[in-house]
Amino acid sequence: QVQLQESGPGLVKPSETLSLTCTVSGFSISRAYYWAWIRQPPGRGLEWIGSISFSGSPYYNPSLKSRVTISLDTSKNQFSLRLTSVAAADTAVYYCARDRRDRPSSDYWGQGTLVTVSS
Amino acid sequence: DIQMTQSPSTLSASVGDRVTITCRASQSIGSWVAWYQQKPGKAPKVLIYDASILESGVPSRFSGSGSGTEFTLTISSLQPDDFATYYCQQYNTYSRGYTFGQGTKLEIK
């Protein structure tokens, strides 16, 4: 069974870098699919941040592209998110998910992790 | 960027009702639309992909339709477990990115 789990700091200071890792079990991330990050500010809707292919090609939301990096660590079966120069507007629950490009949608999701940007 | 306008933002209905949620795209996107259900404190769950294909394990009372710029999610007979927030998601084949609709909160009347 495929499972995803986000990990990382729950509190980040303004102007600093948010770093999260998604650990995948039950499927090798280097074998197939894309791997996505999606966020949801408290009480608001979903926002796609970006995805990375199993071969390491990233695609980003244009509104965040200048601040975002998504990468794979196939040796640990993990993928990661870096978001630089964070502000209060980046406070959100961050989800990782498996992204199916042959049927564009995400079928497996992590439970989500709340990241608060505050000094 | 392609925008997705979802309506209504809130919908009040009763158990047994038939309800429809609509998403309109700012330009034609073929059939690249998925629908998700999200309950408080939980990750979204995919219900429909490719506009009308039911995800495995999802009850048949859920259905999707549409192509081009207008898409609908219909629940044929509301069950107590269906009260949640629903999101549409479009896939842009040119940019290879996704955009979500604003969400529809389905409440008990």
Side-chain angles (χ1 to χ4, degrees), chain B residues 10-22:
Chain B
T10 306
L11 181 56
S12 296
S14 302
V15 172
D17 284 353
R18 177 185 180 91
V19 299
T20 297
I21 299 168
T22 299

Side-chain angles (χ1 to χ4, degrees), chain A residues 40 59 95 99-101 106, chain B residues 36 38 55 91 96 98:
Chain A
Q40 185 170 37
Y59 300 90
Y95 294 100
D99 176 356
R100 308 179 301 190
R101 289 297 165 116
S106 289
Chain B
Y36 295 85
Q38 187 180 32
E55 179 75 6
Y91 175 63
R96 302 194 189 185
Y98 293 98

Side-chain angles (χ1 to χ4, degrees), chain B residues 48-93:
Chain B
I48 301 282
Y49 61 90
D50 292 356
S52 63
I53 300 177
L54 195 66
E55 179 75 6
S56 176
V58 173
S60 60
R61 63 181 180 272
F62 292 92
S63 64
S65 65
S67 66
T69 61
E70 186 156 332
F71 301 87
T72 59
L73 172 71
T74 299
I75 310 173
S76 61
S77 177
L78 274 174
Q79 299 301 302
D81 190 50
D82 299 339
F83 292 96
T85 300
Y86 293 84
Y87 293 92
C88 61
Q89 178 196 45
Q90 67 89 8
Y91 175 63
N92 185 324
T93 55

Side-chain angles (χ1 to χ4, degrees), chain A residues 36-55:
Chain A
W37 288 98
I38 296 130
R39 71 180 182 178
Q40 185 170 37
R44 299 184 62 185
L46 300 163
E47 180 179 36
W48 175 75
I49 299 170
S51 299
I52 189 165
S53 72
F54 64 94
S55 60

Side-chain angles (χ1 to χ4, degrees), chain A residues 1 4 19-20 22 29-30 36 38 41-42 46 51 60 70 79 87 89 95-96 99 102 109-110 113 116-118:
Chain A
Q1 182 181 354
L4 295 90
S19 295
L20 295 175
C22 183
I29 63 171
S30 61
I38 296 130
L46 300 163
S51 299
Y60 301 129
I70 297 175
F79 62 105
Y95 294 100
C96 59
D99 176 356
D102 59 335
W109 294 65
T113 188
T116 301
V117 178
S118 175

Side-chain angles (χ1 to χ4, degrees), chain A residues 7-119:
Chain A
S7 60
L11 181 64
V12 181
K13 289 182 168 57
S15 79
E16 296 190 345
T17 296
L18 179 160
S19 295
L20 295 175
T21 296
C22 183
T23 301
V24 180
S25 58
F27 192 88
S28 170
I29 63 171
S30 61
R31 199 178 101 200
Y33 295 103
Y34 285 50
W35 303 92
W37 288 98
I38 296 130
R39 71 180 182 178
Q40 185 170 37
R44 299 184 62 185
L46 300 163
E47 180 179 36
W48 175 75
I49 299 170
S51 299
I52 189 165
S53 72
F54 64 94
S55 60
S57 297
Y59 300 90
Y60 301 129
N61 186 323
S63 69
L64 298 169
K65 187 174 183 177
S66 64
R67 299 194 291 131
V68 172
T69 303
I70 297 175
S71 59
L72 294 179
D73 185 342
T74 56
S75 66
K76 295 180 180 178
N77 217 39
Q78 296 174 335
F79 62 105
S80 298
L81 169 70
R82 289 184 75 249
L83 181 66
T84 61
S85 304
V86 298
D90 295 309
T91 293
V93 174
Y94 285 76
Y95 294 100
C96 59
R98 189 172 80 169
D99 176 356
R100 308 179 301 190
R101 289 297 165 116
D102 59 335
R103 295 157 284 171
S105 57
S106 289
D107 58 347
Y108 289 97
W109 294 65
Q111 65 187 26
T113 188
L114 174 63
V115 178
T116 301
V117 178
S118 175
S119 56

